[in-house]
Structures are given as C-alpha cells and as structure tokens.
Amino acid sequence: MESRYDLVIVGGGIAGGALATAMARAGRSVLVLEKTTEYPDRVRGEWIAPWGVIEVKRLGLYETLMEAGGHHVGRHVTLGDDVEDPEAAIAAASDLTAILPGVPGPLCIRHPVACETLAASATAAGATVLRGVSGVEVSPGPAPEVAFECEGKGYRVACRLIVGADGRAGVTRAQAGIELHRDEPHHLFSGLLVEGAHGWPDDLQTKGTEGEFNFLVFPQGEGRVRLYLGYGYDRKDFLAGAGAEERFLEAFNLRTVPKSEALANARPISRCYSYPNEDTWTDEPFVEGLVLAGDAAGHNDPITGQGLAITFRDVRIVAEALQEHADWTPEVFRPYAEERAERMRRLRFAAKLLATLDSEFGPEALERRIRIRKRATEDPTLMFPLAGVMAGPENVPAEFYTDAYWARVFGEG
C-alpha cells in the first residue's frame, strides 16, 4: 500500500465502488476503505430507475451489472383498494421499456451482489480496495489525510481528495463538519427478499395500498422478488422481534392483487428490517479536500426508489469534474452541489406526494386516493412529478414542483 493517493474513498459500497472504477480507469491512484468483510443485505438499494440506468451506462458499468445478474422489469401496474378492476389494470399495465430510449425498464439487482461486483470492478481497474477497515478519521483541508486501522495495524495516508461514500450512517460527513438536514418521518418501510415466487410475472412490478399497508413488488428474475411494506409510524412493533418474516408475508395475502398468494407463500431469504422514510440532504456536500457522494450526501424517502439513481448520477458528475479539472479546488464541486440540491428538492416533493397518497391509511385516505386517481385519468399532468421519478426529475418542468401544484393535486386551493 502506498503512502499517497489521488483519491481516498471512504466506503466501498455502490458509490465507492463505482467512483473507484471510473477514476482508476482514468489513470488515477485510488484507495478504497470498506468497513465490512462481507456486504450485508441493506433491505434497500436494489431498483434502479430508468434515468439511473442512463447514468450506469454513461459510467461504463451497465454490462458489468447485467453480467452479475441484473434484471430489467418491463411493466408496471398500480393496484390496491382504489382500483376497481385489478385484472383489467394488469392487462393495461404501463410499458416501462418506452420511458427512455435504449433503456428496457428499471434495473433490479441484489444490493450485496452489486456492491461486490463494483468492488471487483474497481480492483480490476487498478484501485486498491481494503476490507475490514475500522477507526477511520478524515482530515480534509489543503493537504488531506486519512487515518485508519486494518488487520490490526494503523495507517495514515495523504491524498489530493477524500471522498465520503460511506452511506447515511458514515463518519466522513460529521468529521468534515457538513450539516445534515432531516425532515420528520412520515411512515415506516420494511423489505424482504423471497425466492420461489414463480407464480408472479418476472417482468411486472406493482405498488399500491390495501387497508393499513402500502405494498411494493419488484421482481429480480428466476422467481426472486424484493417485497416492501409501508405502514404507519405508530405501528413500530409490527415487524419487531420473532416471527417478523411470517407476519410480513401474511400481509401479502392481498385481495386486491391477483396472484399475491405466490408472494405470500414464497420463501424468505433475507432478514426483515424496518426503517423510517425521512428525507435527508446537505446544502453543500463538499469542503476543501473532501466531497460526499451517494447517501452520505443525503438520501431520498425510499418510497420512490431513487437511491441508486441518485448515487450513480452523483458518481458520474463527480468523476467528470475530477477528470475535467487539473486542480481539485472546492469550486470544482459547485455545479455538482447546485444540481444535486435542485434534484433532491424535486425528488423530496415527488416522494412526499406519493407518501401522502399511498402511505396514509383509513377511510379518508382511501377516499382521497380514489378521487385523485380519477382526476389523474382525466388530467395526466396531475401525476407529472412521478414521471420524473422514472425519467429523471430534470425532465419535468419546474412548475410541477411547487406549492401551487401541490394545492392543485390535493384540492387545497
């Protein structure tokens, strides 16, 4: 291991592995520090929106992920207790392959597999990837340094730039003194990976609300499906303790979803873990000598599944900035910060809209869903922010991310 690198990337997950691959391929010396020796199932980060697939392609990582088991989903249907005829809805399912040219729908892949694949890709490109790292301390500034421990030994390395890619629970953001903003949680989200769900179409994703649950279904191919449940924040104990997987699957006996028994009777092959839905964000995800990417810079409510698309765009913009500029001063990252701030603002708006529709429960919430869905069939622009979730938030006019638009959707003005 060298004593100096162009980049030291703290975190070897999706953002870290992707950026290390891009920069090592560009001829930069890169050190990646990853705390785990085996990537855990995070119960999230397994669905890439079409606009995120474009970013994966621009980074030259598309074939890498496809060879590792990437699976495209070509159809979407919204079901639930506000849909009168679910069979007819499935027959008229949206064609996800037509959203963006050259992208055959969202891309699904297991999070641990994607992390391992990108770490291997970074190593093959020439980066040094260390696993089982602990005690990381970053010292940004005009002469950045990173101290850490690995295999019982202490190290301190110098670099031109530190990249914080260590996720929402990482250390780099706080150590760099970058403030994180957080909104109030609205509901809880839980995920479970199952296999043997061969009765469910491999090309069909769905979401919707029935009773006290918001459900989401994302096939990964060959009978594997990632299932999600959203439920009220006042029900924190629902999936806590022993029997959580059984209770989770029992909730997927959905009367409004044809063939849901294939999901409810599938075999769980991951843990069941719940987490709050809140959004977080940073005003400026950089200081002198350090920049943040991915969840470390702030994450979106998972109800719209934007985490991986956000991360791959972060990586692409940061990588391009580093390759375009000889001097890696803080101002190099100003355009990234500005673009990310507006991107995250729009995605927060879209997530809040969907959470209000799909993750509020009871008779009044059901009546509101029925009313708004009916209006949306007459005026498709009513759901335009959700089009940005698929095609990219920048591809929807700014007027659809305003208080006035919110009032129009929910009849408040």
Side-chain angles (χ1 to χ4, degrees), residues 12 15 45 54 71 74 76 88 115 209-210 221-222 256 261 303 335 366:
I54 293 291
H71 172 77
H76 171 85
C115 290
T209 306
E210 180 179 307
E222 300 180 352
T256 63
E261 66 276 5
I303 196 169
L366 173 58

Side-chain angles (χ1 to χ4, degrees), residues 342 345-346 393-394 396-402 405:
E342 178 60 13
R345 185 193 72 80
R346 294 187 181 203
E394 73 283 0
V396 173
E399 67 194 74
F400 292 97
Y401 299 96
T402 62
Y405 174 81

Side-chain angles (χ1 to χ4, degrees), residues 211 360-370:
E360 292 188 1
F361 312 102
E364 290 185 8
L366 173 58
E367 189 279 330
R368 181 175 59 206
R369 281 195 298 278
I370 293 172

Side-chain angles (χ1 to χ4, degrees), residues 99-117:
I99 293 173
L100 291 174
V103 179
L107 176 61
C108 296
I109 185 170
R110 282 201 70 190
H111 188 269
V113 172
C115 290
E116 198 69 60
T117 298

